[in-house]
Amino acid sequence: MKNQVQLITYADRLSGAGLTELTQLLDGPLAGLFGGVHILPFYYPIDGSDAGFDPIDHSEVDKRLGNWESVKTLGERFEIMADLIVNHASAQSPEFQDVLKHGEQSPYWPLFLKEQDIFPGGISDEQAQAIFRPRPTSCFTPKKLQSGETVNFWTTFTDNQVDINVETPQGKAYLDKILTLFAKNNVKIIRLDAAGYAIKRAGTSCFMTPESFDFINKLSRQANALGMETIAEIHSHYQTQIDVASKVDRVYDFALPPLILHALFSNNADPLLCWLQQSPRNCLTVLDTHDGIGIVDAGPDGDKPGLLNAQQIDTLVETIHANSRGESKQATGAAASNVDLYQVNCTYYDALGRNDLDYLIARAIQFFSPGVPQVYYGGLLALHNDIALLENTNVGRDINRSYLNEQQVEDALFKPVVKCLCKLIELRNHSSAFDGEFILSGSEEAFSLQWRNQDARAQLQVNLTTREAHITLQEPGCIKYLSLSDLLHNLKN
């Protein structure tokens, strides 16, 4: 993966159309900003119950977006990241419909995970309580077969997302088929979606078990053999992220977004700096994604202390709700049809109360933190919470999943805060210092993030109390200074 800023987007929600139009956008108004693009699920259908993460056919590009040739063409210009939806498929898929029709006689019967596969004698209350799940209801859904028999299928996320038994020959063949398609069509990076839930064992949490680590490791090596990198997508305690980082090419730094918010809300960067001293160096950094703002990644887990304590987490969440005028509260937890309870649904810009300078400081910290930065399309354009879409769908995550047309994109690119962000992206992409050594210093309200690579230097100095943020760039024979507040002021006037 190029050490340049990457874009995260849906093909249709940013371009207003499909893959060809997304390619034109990246080559046109967004030219020079991104080394690669994570195209969120473009499989059939893109408008299922979980915005493409519940594929009826994972091997088919939704015709409304294009086809595999469209993907291949885009991949000739930009590094493409695509989602391998490891854990589940849609209950509407032909394979699962065949299971409902033919039961155990279906060739796909072993493909889908059932309660009896892990608990042949039935599951006890104690065993059920031990299972880690991202929703408050049961992880099993009873499905009635055509024969009249009712079977409990494992549905970790929603009733429409039936878990795959990846340990069976049918499960392995399912994933092999998709991996091969990716490799043939210029996909270079694979996001292992929900891989931490893929291996279940009785008497465990059924999440990130030792067998899960082994599975992720083997799947990563398989992708490598086909010429692709893998990124593990796992929301969990920060120590788990450090452990997973040794098993895959890259891991997400999901602890960074809440820690930056905490620093800006409290004027104390100590938890952030503590994390940056130990965070995996082979990570992707994000502030926002198609999901919410992860909270569990920075918090405690049972007896294991977090980077933030329980009180700090509560204050963080309540501050986001206050800054967003209660909009995030409408979209989070039991307030909307959420598939997870460990994230706050809100745009990052609104989480910061639409404060342009704070938003730019947050992005500067992200770009200077170890790892390759990714920027979500809503974050790129500093979008507000989409309350109209939320009210229309009652899906919490949709507050941060706006549908945009070409004019809306062009208008957003002229906003001063967006122009400033684009300047920061260009700076991050063009300095060779970021290929060198990371140096961290400071504490509490004032700190410095610095990169050194031979004669190249890049330094970010932040004072949280005064909100001063200065960038110094040094290349042979040239030194540049940049004040974020001055840059923002000049673009506003």
Side-chain angles (χ1 to χ4, degrees):
M1 176 183 285
K2 296 177 182 176
N3 188 13
Q4 296 179 347
V5 180
Q6 312 284 309
L7 176 67
I8 314 171
T9 189
Y10 296 93
D12 58 328
R13 300 193 191 208
L14 175 62
S15 69
L19 292 161
T20 298
E21 290 76 14
L22 176 60
T23 305
Q24 294 169 348
L25 185 62
L26 289 167
D27 276 329
L30 304 182
L33 292 180
F34 300 107
V37 54
H38 174 190
I39 311 173
L40 291 161
F42 46 85
Y43 325 114
Y44 173 73
I46 55 173
D47 51 1
S49 60
D50 193 21
F53 283 95
D54 50 343
I56 289 177
D57 190 343
H58 200 327
S59 64
E60 179 186 347
V61 177
D62 192 304
K63 291 181 175 57
R64 289 168 289 183
L65 301 181
N67 51 37
W68 281 112
E69 190 61 33
S70 310
V71 176
K72 191 172 185 178
T73 299
L74 197 159
E76 292 170 355
R77 296 283 295 110
F78 302 91
E79 287 185 341
I80 293 178
M81 180 191 299
D83 290 276
L84 179 62
I85 302 170
V86 174
N87 184 70
H88 50 262
S90 172
Q92 311 307 313
S93 66
E95 294 91 344
F96 190 70
Q97 289 298 305
D98 193 82
V99 166
L100 293 181
K101 184 176 182 180
H102 298 291
E104 294 188 37
Q105 303 308 311
S106 169
Y108 305 110
W109 179 258
L111 177 61
F112 297 99
L113 194 67
K114 299 161 283 292
E115 177 187 319
Q116 65 192 48
D117 294 331
I118 307 300
F119 304 97
I123 186 171
S124 67
D125 290 341
E126 183 180 0
Q127 289 171 324
Q129 287 300 317
I131 296 173
F132 177 82
R133 50 192 178 275
R135 58 174 180 155
T137 54
S138 171
C139 55
F140 300 107
T141 300
K143 302 282 187 179
K144 191 172 184 178
L145 308 184
Q146 185 171 292
S147 66
E149 179 187 2
T150 298
V151 177
N152 269 354
F153 286 90
W154 207 302
T155 53
T156 295
F157 290 93
T158 70
D159 294 352
N160 189 52
Q161 292 165 296
V162 186
D163 289 21
I164 295 168
N165 192 339
V166 298
E167 298 185 277
T168 63
Q170 291 83 350
K172 293 175 182 177
Y174 177 88
L175 295 179
D176 289 349
K177 178 182 179 181
I178 302 162
L179 282 173
T180 301
L181 272 171
F182 282 172
K184 287 181 177 179
N185 291 285
N186 284 341
V187 173
K188 298 300 182 186
I189 306 132
I190 298 171
R191 177 180 177 267
L192 303 179
D193 177 68
Y197 296 93
I199 306 293
K200 283 86 166 177
R201 291 290 184 269
T204 74
S205 68
C206 296
F207 176 70
M208 291 312 302
T209 61
E211 293 84 359
S212 297
F213 279 99
D214 291 340
F215 169 74
I216 291 170
N217 190 27
K218 290 176 182 176
L219 193 59
S220 184
R221 300 291 79 78
Q222 183 181 352
N224 293 161
L226 291 169
M228 298 178 287
E229 295 181 44
T230 57
I231 289 98
E233 184 266 338
I234 296 168
H235 280 281
S236 187
H237 188 263
Y238 74 91
Q239 188 59 56
T240 302
Q241 299 287 16
I242 294 173
D243 294 339
V244 172
S246 65
K247 309 292 183 183
V248 293
D249 298 304
R250 292 188 184 274
V251 69
Y252 282 96
D253 185 349
F254 285 134
L256 190 65
L259 290 173
I260 290 178
L261 289 177
H262 170 79
L264 289 166
F265 293 164
S266 67
N267 291 342
N268 186 342
D270 281 350
L272 169 65
L273 302 181
C274 174
W275 171 237
L276 293 180
Q277 290 173 343
Q278 59 185 310
S279 63
R281 279 13 186 182
N282 61 325
C283 68
L284 292 180
T285 65
V286 293
L287 294 189
D288 47 3
T289 71
H290 57 290
D291 293 335
I293 300 168
I295 300 299
V296 66
D297 312 274
D301 180 14
D303 295 333
K304 294 185 290 187
L307 297 161
L308 300 175
N309 61 40
Q311 180 58 54
Q312 290 171 322
I313 290 290
D314 288 344
T315 300
L316 173 66
V317 171
E318 291 305 316
T319 305
I320 294 173
H321 291 336
N323 283 350
S324 66
R325 302 162 305 284
E327 293 174 350
S328 59
K329 200 166 189 176
Q330 295 178 47
T332 298
S337 302
N338 294 297
V339 297
D340 57 57
L341 300 177
Y342 48 72
Q343 298 175 335
V344 174
N345 291 316
C346 185
T347 69
Y348 210 82
Y349 185 61
D350 274 7
L352 286 166
R354 303 182 182 180
N355 184 304
D356 288 351
L357 181 57
D358 280 2
Y359 186 66
L360 292 173
I361 291 173
R363 285 296 177 188
I365 294 171
Q366 179 198 1
F367 293 170
F368 273 76
S369 295
V372 175
Q374 283 191 317
V375 176
Y376 183 55
Y377 79 102
L380 170 68
L381 303 175
L383 297 183
H384 299 163
N385 286 326
D386 196 331
I387 292 299
L389 183 59
L390 172 66
E391 291 177 345
N392 182 53
T393 66
N394 195 38
V395 174
R397 291 174 171 183
D398 277 348
I399 199 172
N400 189 30
R401 294 178 173 179
S402 295
Y403 289 89
L404 305 176
N405 57 40
E406 183 178 355
Q407 188 60 53
Q408 288 172 314
V409 172
E410 290 183 5
D411 290 346
L413 287 172
F414 277 97
K415 294 191 294 189
V417 65
V418 175
K419 287 184 177 181
C420 288
L421 177 55
C422 290
K423 294 279 187 185
L424 290 179
I425 291 173
E426 291 171 350
L427 177 157
R428 177 61 176 77
N429 288 342
H430 296 147
S431 174
S432 62
F434 293 99
D435 292 319
E437 176 190 9
F438 176 66
I439 301 168
L440 178 68
S441 61
S443 63
E444 295 187 358
E445 80 279 3
F447 59 93
S448 165
L449 309 181
Q450 185 176 176
W451 289 87
R452 294 180 181 177
N453 182 20
Q454 297 181 357
D455 293 332
R457 301 284 190 274
Q459 183 178 28
L460 170 67
Q461 294 174 293
V462 177
N463 187 303
L464 295 171
T465 301
T466 62
R467 287 304 199 257
E468 293 177 283
H470 300 278
I471 294 173
T472 304
L473 296 175
Q474 180 178 337
E475 299 285 347
C478 178
I479 298 179
K480 295 181 180 179
Y481 301 97
L482 177 68
S483 162
L484 292 188
S485 59
D486 288 349
L487 176 63
L488 183 60
H489 176 77
N490 292 336
L491 287 173
K492 283 184 174 180
N493 296 292

